[in-house]
């Protein structure tokens, strides 16, 4: 397999990079119509529609699981130990994100503040088609529980023992054995047997993503995520095999995933290309990896590491590895990335499972304006305003003047009545 090669010194590099990194998030009209129909049907018929679609698409009847610590006993001890270790690290990290309510009284005696409160009920979607993702259970459920979410309802088609164990460990309150757009509809609208949630988080296929897009506004969502991405900036110090495998780690997710290497060392790019060819034949998911690398992968020669950082900022990748001798010298130059991995020992794979920070990250360039999933996504902020009698006169005059300027007489009168 031959990876495409680009250079920042090519005359048309900018156009080629744009074409390479562009991800068309527009949904297939057929998918949109199908999802719209499912959502409307579940909203109208409730549990009956969920049952019909689950039998049609998954070939099974919907099932509910009573979450129990016994789920942990049903998996090998080594897996249970790994889940517990990852859970502890993820929880420790997210506990540092927890914010508290605050308030102050200004010089006029006006009491101002912000109350933070957790969402009441959250729905977590966990895919169950091509693979099982217990790591996604931990990454979505743990920050919700740290935030204080009262009830966490998980939907997953045919969850396996490892997924159920992760749900028990993370504090999921209820597991629904349903998937697809019908699961999103049930969580968003509620049925007789499934409670309506306030927010839906978690990844899924095109139908799940489109369903989340369409129910947004009825409930909150985390994001509509694109394919997985990794971008590596390397100076050539790490073994080429390491970097090749790091590229594979995201390419194996999906044929649309993206894996890019930036380096000012042309010889090193050659070494990584050779490693890709050598190691690919060993990979069980080599067809997926090869398709991903062929469609959206690249080895890019830059003038220097500083230019590599500039290119990275333009791409705004989900995962960015700084595989260099002095990552601290580059990290301050990075403005746009979902997660930054410092140095040759920091593989993206560790971040996916057990480093601690969340692996639910902005994709498709959205790291320019959005952030990883965190505790703050499960908290609401409510403003608190208490105006004293003396402040009502001073602030009331300001409000009255501005309201009159906007032509809103009732606003002006409401403020005026408190000081006249």
């Amino acid at each position: 397999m031959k990876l495409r090669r680009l250079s920042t010194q090519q005359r048309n590099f900018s156009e080629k990079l744009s074409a390479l990194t562009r991800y068309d998030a527009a949904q297939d009209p057929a998918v949109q119509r199908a999802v719209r129909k499912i959502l409307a049907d579940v909203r109208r018929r409730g549990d009956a529609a969920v049952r019909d679609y689950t039998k049609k698409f998954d070939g099974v009847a919907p099932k509910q699981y009573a979450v129990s610590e016994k789920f942990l006993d049903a998996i090998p001890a080594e897996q249970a130990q790994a889940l517990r270790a990852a859970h502890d690290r993820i929880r420790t990290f997210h506990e540092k994100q927890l914010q508290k309510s605050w308030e102050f009284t200004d010089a006029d005696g006006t009491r101002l503040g912000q109350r933070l409160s957790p969402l009441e009920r959250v729905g977590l979607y966990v895919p169950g088609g091509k693979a099982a993702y217990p790591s996604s259970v931990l990454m979505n459920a743990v920050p919700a529980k740290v935030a204080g979410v009262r009830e966490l309802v998980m939907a997953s088609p045919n969850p396996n023992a490892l997924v159920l164990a992760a749900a028990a460990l993370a504090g999921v309150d209820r597991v629904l054995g349903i998937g697809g757009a019908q699961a999103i509809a049930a969580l968003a609208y509620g049925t007789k047997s499934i409670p309506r949630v306030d927010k839906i988080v978690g990844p899924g296929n095109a139908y799940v993503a489109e369903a989340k897009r369409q129910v947004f506004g009825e409930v909150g969502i985390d994001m509509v995520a694109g394919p997985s991405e990794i971008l590596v900036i390397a100076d050539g110090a790490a073994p080429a095999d390491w970097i090749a495998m790091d590229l594979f780690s995201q390419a194996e997710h999906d044929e649309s995933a993206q894996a890019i290497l930036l380096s000012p060392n042309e010889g090193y790019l050659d070494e990584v290309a050779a490693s890709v060819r050598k190691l690919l034949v060993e990979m069980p998911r080599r067809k997926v990896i090869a398709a991903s690398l062929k469609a959206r992968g690249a080895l890019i020669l830059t003038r220097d590491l500083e230019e590599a950082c500039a290119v990275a900022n333009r791409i705004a990748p989900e995962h960015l590895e700084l595989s260099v001798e002095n990552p601290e010298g580059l990290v301050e130059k990075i403005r746009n990335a979902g997660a930054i991995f410092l140095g040759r020992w920091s593989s993206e794979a560790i971040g996916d499972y057990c480093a601690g920070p969340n692996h639910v990250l902005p994709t498709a360039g959205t790291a320019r304006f959005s952030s990883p999933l965190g505790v703050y996504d499960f908290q609401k902020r409510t403003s608190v305003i208490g105006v004293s009698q003396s402040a009502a006169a001073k602030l009331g005059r300001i409000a009255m003047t501005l309201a009159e300027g906007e032509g809103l007489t009732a606003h002006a009168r409401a403020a005026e009545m408190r000081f006249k």
Side-chain angles (χ1 to χ4, degrees), residues 268-285:
Y268 188 65
L269 293 180
D270 293 336
E271 291 179 31
V272 173
S275 289
V276 166
R277 291 191 295 271
K278 176 187 68 176
L279 297 174
L280 184 60
V281 295
E282 305 171 4
M283 306 305 298
R285 295 175 63 85

Side-chain angles (χ1 to χ4, degrees), residues 23-258:
Y23 172 67
D24 186 5
Q27 296 298 299
D28 184 338
V31 173
Q32 292 178 325
R33 288 192 298 270
V35 167
R36 192 173 296 113
K37 178 181 177 182
I38 293 170
L39 296 182
D41 196 21
V42 171
R43 192 167 201 170
R44 180 172 59 89
R45 296 198 297 126
D47 288 326
V50 172
R51 182 173 58 252
D52 291 346
Y53 288 118
T54 300
K55 288 182 177 179
K56 177 180 178 180
F57 297 130
D58 298 329
V60 297
K63 185 177 180 181
Q64 294 204 28
Y65 300 81
V67 180
S68 168
E69 288 291 322
K70 292 180 180 178
F71 287 148
L72 284 161
D73 298 331
I75 62 174
E78 186 177 14
Q79 290 184 347
Q81 183 179 359
L83 277 180
R84 287 192 172 93
H87 172 270
D88 290 347
R89 293 187 61 87
I90 294 166
R91 186 173 184 88
T92 297
F93 176 85
H94 286 87
E95 283 175 343
K96 297 184 182 301
Q97 293 182 338
L98 189 62
Q99 298 178 9
K100 297 181 179 180
S101 301
W102 54 266
E103 66 175 53
F104 68 96
T105 301
D106 68 13
D108 297 320
T110 301
R111 176 185 169 189
L112 302 170
Q114 180 175 266
R115 291 184 61 230
L116 275 81
S117 55
L119 303 183
E120 285 289 310
R121 183 183 292 123
V122 168
L124 163 59
Y125 188 89
V126 178
K130 294 181 179 179
Y133 296 101
S135 60
S136 288
V137 178
L138 297 181
M139 293 293 183
N140 284 272
V142 169
K145 285 300 182 180
V146 169
V149 171
R150 179 177 59 83
E151 186 178 2
L152 188 55
V153 182
M154 188 178 100
S156 182
N158 303 314
N160 68 10
L162 197 55
V163 166
L164 291 172
L169 185 61
V172 172
D173 297 284
R174 183 190 298 197
V175 176
L176 310 173
I178 57 175
Q182 66 270 22
I184 301 301
L187 293 171
Y189 306 135
T191 69
K192 187 175 181 179
S193 68
I194 299 171
R196 177 186 178 185
V197 303
D198 302 310
K199 189 169 190 174
I200 299 173
V201 299
N205 63 18
Y207 290 88
V208 170
E210 180 59 28
K212 287 172 65 177
R213 192 196 309 271
Q214 290 189 26
V215 300
F216 176 63
E218 188 79 32
V219 294
I221 63 172
D222 50 352
M223 64 183 75
V224 179
S228 298
E229 304 161 353
I230 186 170
L231 188 149
V232 181
I233 295 177
D235 58 7
D241 284 0
W242 291 13
I243 302 302
M245 198 59 66
D246 288 350
L247 299 177
F248 289 177
S249 71
Q250 293 309 291
E252 73 175 345
H253 273 297
D254 186 271
E255 292 86 349
S256 297
Q258 182 151 74

